[in-house]
Amino acid sequence: MTEEHAIQNRIRAALAPYCVIFRINVGAALTPDGRFFRTGVPPGFSDLFGVRRSDGRAVFIEVKTASGRVSKDQKQFLSRMRACGAIAGVARSEEEAIKLIMEG
């Protein structure tokens, strides 16, 4: 398990009282006949998404390690989600994720 996945798991557990949160899984592979394909969501989609229990407001969280950098696609996605009224941001710890949810 990568450090980022470990942080994601801790954040999911910490947010359980406040949100229904799902982790996004993506992948890529070659078919037996040599075709390449990708599964999952568009580039930039947040690692975690769901709804806040108190009001049903959408939540999008991009999880990063202490030194992780947010990509251009991720910044644009978060900005678009906030413009639509969602709670959206970056969290590097459980504390940051809870703060995002409570202040959003």
Side-chain angles (χ1 to χ4, degrees), residues 44 70-80 82:
V70 183
S71 74
K72 179 182 173 185
D73 286 339
Q74 291 165 339
K75 288 177 187 176
Q76 287 177 343
F77 180 83
L78 292 171
S79 177
R80 288 180 181 145
R82 283 191 295 271

Side-chain angles (χ1 to χ4, degrees), residues 12 20-24 46-51:
R12 288 174 62 213
V20 176
I21 292 287
F22 302 93
R23 179 177 163 219
I24 289 295
S46 296
D47 297 309
L48 301 175
F49 77 102
V51 294

Side-chain angles (χ1 to χ4, degrees), residues 22-98:
F22 302 93
R23 179 177 163 219
I24 289 295
N25 291 306
V26 297
L30 287 175
T31 63
D33 63 356
R35 292 179 292 128
F36 181 78
F37 75 97
R38 290 185 179 275
T39 64
V41 294
F45 197 97
S46 296
D47 297 309
L48 301 175
F49 77 102
V51 294
R52 188 164 62 179
R53 290 180 189 278
S54 63
D55 58 7
R57 197 160 159 209
V59 173
F60 295 90
I61 301 174
E62 184 60 43
V63 178
K64 294 293 177 191
T65 63
S67 61
R69 296 184 342 174
V70 183
S71 74
K72 179 182 173 185
D73 286 339
Q74 291 165 339
K75 288 177 187 176
Q76 287 177 343
F77 180 83
L78 292 171
S79 177
R80 288 180 181 145
M81 294 303 100
R82 283 191 295 271
C84 292
I87 299 165
V90 177
R92 298 172 190 278
S93 67
E94 303 94 311
E95 295 80 16
E96 286 185 8
I98 290 171

